[in-house]
Amino acid sequence: VLALNGKTREVGEKILASNGKEVDFASALKSCEEAGGTLATPMSEEENKAVLGVVKQYNRYAYLGIKEGETSGQFDYINGTPLNYTNWQKNEPNGKGTEKCVEMYTDGSWSNKKCNLYRLTICEF
């Protein structure tokens, strides 16, 4: 369970929270689901800025709730719906099918990466 201690942020209908832990993608997703939420998934510039606020608070790159689908280079929300908002860094996504997870940099831009790296867990509820 996430110990919140004032570490939550509200954006629209969502509440964002982080436990400050860095784990691989599967573990991050599992801990969010066990807490009753999912990995933070920005669906607008406003939500991206809110997630960025948590990223900056910890000064760590964080996984987002976005994964590469069956088609190489096509990314979807983890529930399978197509992205309706993106903030890819220049020349991203790349990796040609080997980098299936997405992280947020400390400037708010996104990059696709391998899923076994340790990144900050940020959940949304």
Side-chain angles (χ1 to χ4, degrees), residues 18-23 51-64 103-109 118-122:
S18 177
N19 57 9
K21 292 192 173 136
E22 292 183 68
V23 294
V51 175
L52 175 60
V54 182
V55 166
K56 284 185 163 172
Q57 181 181 351
Y58 289 96
N59 197 27
R60 299 275 183 271
Y61 296 170
Y63 278 126
L64 298 177
E103 68 181 6
M104 179 184 283
Y105 289 146
T106 49
D107 67 357
S109 66
Y118 279 53
R119 295 292 181 260
L120 183 64
T121 303
I122 303 174

Side-chain angles (χ1 to χ4, degrees), residues 61-119:
Y61 296 170
Y63 278 126
L64 298 177
I66 299 169
K67 278 196 87 171
E68 190 170 39
E70 297 299 309
T71 309
S72 180
Q74 182 184 331
F75 287 78
D76 300 305
Y77 296 117
I78 41 180
N79 67 8
T81 58
L83 298 180
N84 63 352
Y85 166 83
T86 61
N87 193 33
W88 296 110
Q89 190 172 53
K90 191 172 190 252
N91 302 321
E92 297 284 349
N94 54 27
K96 300 184 174 49
T98 62
E99 298 180 346
K100 297 191 173 296
C101 290
V102 178
E103 68 181 6
M104 179 184 283
Y105 289 146
T106 49
D107 67 357
S109 66
W110 305 355
S111 172
N112 59 321
K113 290 287 187 230
K114 293 187 184 314
C115 301
N116 62 348
L117 301 172
Y118 279 53
R119 295 292 181 260

Side-chain angles (χ1 to χ4, degrees), residues 1 3-4 7 12 20-21 24-25 27-29 32-34 44 49 54 78 80 83 88 97 100-101 103 125:
V1 178
L4 302 175
K7 299 235 192 280
K21 292 192 173 136
D24 64 29
F25 181 85
S27 301
L29 182 58
C32 289
E33 288 175 345
E34 284 173 352
S44 67
K49 283 181 179 160
V54 182
I78 41 180
L83 298 180
W88 296 110
K100 297 191 173 296
C101 290
E103 68 181 6
F125 302 93

